[in-house]
Amino acid sequence: MKKFALMGVAGFVAPRHIQAIKETNNELVAAFDPNDSVGIIDSYFPKTHFFTEFERFDRHLEKLRLEKEEPVDFVSICTPNYLHDAHIRFALRNNADAICEKPLVLNPWNAEKLMVMEQQSSNKINTILQLRLHPSIVALKEKIANQSNEKIHDIDLTYITSRGNWYYASWKGSLEKSGGICSNIGIHFFDMLIWIFGDVVKNTVHLMEHDRASGVLQLKNANIRWFLSINEQVLPESAKKNGKRTFREITIDSEKFEFSDGFTDLHTLSYKNILSGNGFNVSETLKSLELAYNLRHTKPEALTGDFHPMAKLPITNHPFFK
């Protein structure tokens, strides 16, 4: 049984990590979050020591390591994106392996420096790239790998996940803290596509707003028109009629790629792989981190030539930005 500490336990994705720790028969001994709405811990680990102040959390882990000789083996990081770098370093300084949510960091050079720190440590940095473990996506990668390397696939990626007004008042609505839409909700898809279809050859940005982004991405074996949004107003009518606030669709050579199911156990599977020494390391995140960074720093071009059709939708500024 391994001992875990979890940072950002009040966050949206933290319950998946708590469940993964439980389902892999390990123990959550300490947790930290400035927000104290963490009652979900009781359903899994009611004896977990919880802290709302980082300094006391830090002291507790140090006492476990130095005084009780019961150090934590892993620190799971579900904190805001801009803090991942510092919290990964914190894990390594506590002689623990890090398990960090996406995006690992916001800037490629931060990842490169973490790789240097990891080499000087006896511990590992793992990142969650759960789409690489999805059965349908694994099958797609195998299918593409068995085809001619010269074939260029035409792909449309559309991902809309509606967010309410709270989003813009939180760290997620801050470009400096979240990295914007490309880092916050697009990073998994960019990683998946690069993993399957090869390295980035060229990217064109047509739209980069607070609530949506779009462009054309050329990979070694694919041309991809992509559209990301958190604005419910751009949901297709079919989704609105069914009361859905999320729309996710990928078409490959005009055929819909279905991967709607199979998401429920991916964090647990991620943890199983990490515990067996097969987690995804820092170097495997670099290409998607570089892409997301370049996208948010690229000046949008006019809608000419090929572009995602939803990039033409009218933009209404959110009241928060007026």
Side-chain angles (χ1 to χ4, degrees):
M1 181 179 288
K2 299 294 184 180
K3 293 182 173 62
F4 281 77
L6 197 156
M7 305 181 72
V9 68
F12 169 78
V13 77
R16 301 179 194 176
H17 287 258
I18 298 172
Q19 183 176 347
I21 294 168
K22 185 73 171 181
E23 292 182 346
T24 53
N25 299 313
N26 294 294
E27 183 181 8
L28 181 63
V29 298
F32 158 74
D33 201 294
N35 190 320
D36 60 8
S37 298
V38 295
I40 191 171
I41 298 177
D42 284 350
S43 300
Y44 297 91
F45 299 102
K47 295 182 180 180
T48 296
H49 292 274
F50 172 65
F51 302 88
T52 58
E53 296 169 318
F54 174 78
E55 293 80 4
R56 297 185 66 192
F57 174 72
D58 179 20
R59 181 183 66 179
H60 182 72
L61 294 197
E62 186 175 272
K63 289 173 68 176
L64 290 177
R65 178 166 55 89
L66 299 179
E67 297 180 18
K68 296 187 177 182
E69 297 184 353
E70 296 178 354
V72 297
D73 302 290
F74 292 88
V75 175
S76 296
I77 299 164
C78 304
T79 51
N81 299 347
Y82 73 107
L83 297 176
H84 288 178
D85 185 15
H87 292 161
I88 291 170
R89 292 169 180 269
F90 168 78
L92 295 182
R93 288 196 299 270
N94 272 276
N95 298 333
D97 288 0
I99 301 177
C100 188
E101 262 297 339
K102 62 82 183 170
L104 185 74
V105 289
L106 294 181
N107 304 308
W109 57 87
N110 295 137
E112 292 167 356
K113 291 178 180 178
L114 284 176
M115 291 171 66
V116 174
M117 186 174 182
E118 184 181 36
Q119 290 170 358
Q120 298 170 347
S121 168
S122 59
N123 295 98
K124 295 181 179 180
I125 301 171
N126 305 277
T127 187
I128 300 294
L129 298 173
Q130 72 266 33
L131 289 187
R132 293 194 188 191
L133 304 178
H134 192 291
S136 297
I137 293 170
V138 172
L140 175 63
K141 179 175 174 59
E142 293 175 354
K143 176 183 176 182
I144 298 300
N146 291 328
Q147 295 178 352
S148 169
N149 286 333
E150 297 180 359
K151 182 175 177 58
I152 304 298
H153 300 271
D154 290 318
I155 298 174
D156 275 9
L157 163 65
T158 308
Y159 182 50
I160 304 166
T161 177
S162 304
R163 297 291 185 263
N165 291 340
W166 66 270
Y167 185 94
Y168 298 105
S170 76
W171 64 267
K172 294 185 178 183
S174 167
L175 181 65
E176 292 76 16
K177 293 181 178 181
S178 72
I181 288 177
C182 292
S183 290
N184 210 35
I185 71 170
I187 195 76
H188 274 317
F189 292 103
F190 292 137
D191 172 79
M192 175 195 77
L193 292 168
I194 293 171
W195 184 56
I196 295 173
F197 295 100
D199 292 350
V200 176
V201 177
K202 179 182 178 182
N203 80 77
T204 302
V205 174
H206 291 126
L207 189 64
M208 190 62 62
E209 299 289 339
H210 60 276
D211 65 349
R212 71 194 80 182
S214 185
V216 174
L217 177 63
Q218 183 182 348
L219 303 182
K220 179 182 177 182
N221 294 115
N223 291 321
I224 303 162
R225 303 188 306 180
W226 58 272
F227 179 85
L228 307 170
S229 180
I230 56 171
N231 191 330
E232 64 179 351
Q233 294 181 12
V234 303
L235 284 167
E237 288 302 319
S238 58
K240 293 179 181 178
K241 288 179 180 178
N242 292 323
K244 294 183 178 181
R245 292 179 54 80
T246 298
F247 178 81
R248 176 174 50 229
E249 183 175 86
I250 295 178
T251 61
I252 303 174
D253 299 325
S254 300
E255 292 186 7
K256 184 177 179 179
F257 171 60
E258 182 55 55
F259 67 117
S260 298
D261 299 323
F263 282 90
T264 54
D265 300 321
L266 293 184
H267 273 75
T268 297
L269 183 55
S270 298
Y271 269 66
K272 287 180 179 178
N273 286 353
I274 290 167
L275 289 162
S276 64
N278 296 314
F280 297 116
N281 59 38
V282 178
S283 63
E284 293 179 88
T285 71
L286 280 176
K287 293 176 182 178
S288 59
L289 290 175
E290 288 173 351
L291 174 60
Y293 174 85
N294 290 335
L295 289 173
R296 71 174 178 267
H297 288 91
T298 298
K299 183 178 179 180
E301 297 184 8
L303 290 177
T304 58
D306 196 21
F307 55 87
H308 194 292
M310 297 187 79
K312 297 189 300 181
L313 295 174
I315 296 176
T316 301
N317 282 332
H318 190 277
F320 189 86
F321 292 90
K322 288 184 177 180

